[in-house]
Amino acid sequence: MNSTEVYVLFGPPGVGKGTQGELIEKKFNCSRISTGDIFRENIRNQTELGIEAKSYIDKGELVPDSVTLGMVENAIVEVAKNNSIIILDGFPRNVNQAEVLDDICEKYHYVLKCVIALNADDNVIIQRLSDRLTCKKCGTTFHKIYNKPSKEGVCDKCGGELYQRSDDTPHAIANRLDTYRSTTEPVLNYYQHSGKLAEIDASASPEDISKTVFKLFSS
Ligand code: AP5
Ligand code: MG
């Protein structure tokens, strides 16, 4: 059997990781693990992990590695049972997490194929986050201007209710951008000489970006 292939979707908040992740899942019939989605599901279900994570997420800070790492390893191992391609959306987010991902790949014989780093200017990001709508039930994202749902307030995919995320306030967005620049962006240096880093300008439309992203999978 071939080794499970791992792709990382990397980039600042609101750059379109989830949007591209959904398009990749549809096109290549693979599974995406979004650490943010896992945290939000735990918050909805008021688990111990969710209660701890919420205090960090609402402030725009990273959830500590002591909470995140075990959760991610379990999720990867579970998804790898039925998938030969895994997309990681929002992990790794600091250099320690990048090192741990290498350890996980070595331990379970997965192959880290590519780190897809999306980027866009802060003003583009702020506009995308400020008018984002997210489905309460399935997590699908919409946008009040760029990607309107067919029926206002209702998810096209599952009929769930659309809401504005609690970390999409101006204050939390500013903190998330600061956290990204100080703690997450240095991960790019970690992968700089690995030959696995693909940096992509994500200021175009989702469809145009996905044309470039999809090529990384077919190659
Ligand atoms: P997470 O949920 O991952 O949030 P994020 O990284 O801030 O990214 P977003 O989900 O906000 O944006 P996105 O890049 O997915 O953009 P989207 O496709 O939705 O994490 C939340 C929090 O959890 C973190 O702040 C942290 O506290 C914690 N956390 C998560 N992972 C962690 C980890 N590994 N370690 C520690 N803590 C962790 O697009 C945004 C909007 O723009 C949408 O409305 C969309 O429709 C629109 N859009 C997308 N692409 C385009 C385009 N090309 N043109 C126009 N509009 C577009
Ligand atoms: Mg997302």
Side-chain angles (χ1 to χ4, degrees), residues 3-219:
S3 303
T4 297
E5 294 180 349
V6 177
Y7 289 77
V8 170
L9 271 170
F10 186 91
V15 75
K17 301 182 292 296
T19 301
Q20 291 304 316
E22 284 168 21
L23 294 170
I24 296 164
E25 277 182 294
K26 245 188 252 163
K27 169 96 177 165
F28 297 100
N29 193 23
C30 51
S31 265
R32 175 172 61 106
I33 297 169
S34 157
T35 37
D37 284 353
I38 301 177
F39 286 133
R40 281 184 289 278
E41 198 187 330
N42 275 277
I43 292 170
R44 260 196 308 279
N45 296 330
Q46 299 195 330
T47 67
E48 212 176 298
L49 187 145
I51 290 163
E52 178 160 15
K54 186 169 169 50
S55 60
Y56 296 96
I57 291 176
D58 284 352
K59 280 186 278 186
E61 293 171 9
L62 293 188
V63 179
D65 285 358
S66 55
V67 177
T68 305
L69 293 173
M71 175 189 94
V72 171
E73 180 168 347
N74 290 342
I76 296 177
V77 170
E78 206 42 48
V79 170
K81 285 180 187 165
N82 300 310
N83 291 276
S84 54
I85 300 179
I86 295 177
I87 318 296
L88 295 180
D89 166 353
F91 183 91
R93 263 186 221 245
N94 61 33
V95 171
N96 183 47
Q97 292 184 5
E99 288 168 353
V100 169
L101 178 59
D102 280 344
D103 293 344
I104 292 172
C105 288
E106 198 181 320
K107 182 168 162 192
Y108 298 99
H109 308 291
Y110 306 149
V111 178
L112 177 59
K113 288 289 281 188
C114 188
V115 176
I116 303 166
L118 305 174
N119 207 359
D121 289 344
D122 283 4
N123 56 341
V124 171
I125 285 168
I126 291 164
Q127 162 91 80
R128 287 183 186 176
L129 287 178
S130 308
D131 285 334
R132 169 168 57 187
L133 296 166
T134 304
C135 176
K136 258 188 189 162
K137 213 159 133 196
C138 72
T140 299
T141 54
F142 296 87
H143 193 277
K144 288 179 189 167
I145 300 163
Y146 306 128
N147 179 20
K148 287 187 190 171
S150 312
K151 194 174 163 201
E152 201 183 319
V154 180
C155 175
D156 287 358
K157 205 166 154 189
C158 75
E161 185 191 337
L162 301 181
Y163 78 112
Q164 185 149 34
R165 271 172 44 178
S166 58
D167 59 348
D168 282 348
T169 59
H171 184 66
I173 292 171
N175 281 347
R176 285 157 71 197
L177 279 167
D178 281 351
T179 304
Y180 176 75
R181 300 288 172 219
S182 64
T183 310
T184 305
E185 209 169 35
V187 174
L188 291 174
N189 291 335
Y190 181 85
Y191 290 118
Q192 203 69 56
H193 301 292
S194 66
K196 293 176 181 173
L197 182 62
E199 295 190 83
I200 293 175
D201 175 8
S203 43
S205 71
E207 293 70 29
D208 282 346
I209 299 164
S210 71
K211 280 182 199 151
T212 312
V213 169
F214 288 171
K215 284 187 195 145
L216 299 167
F217 286 79
S218 348
S219 59

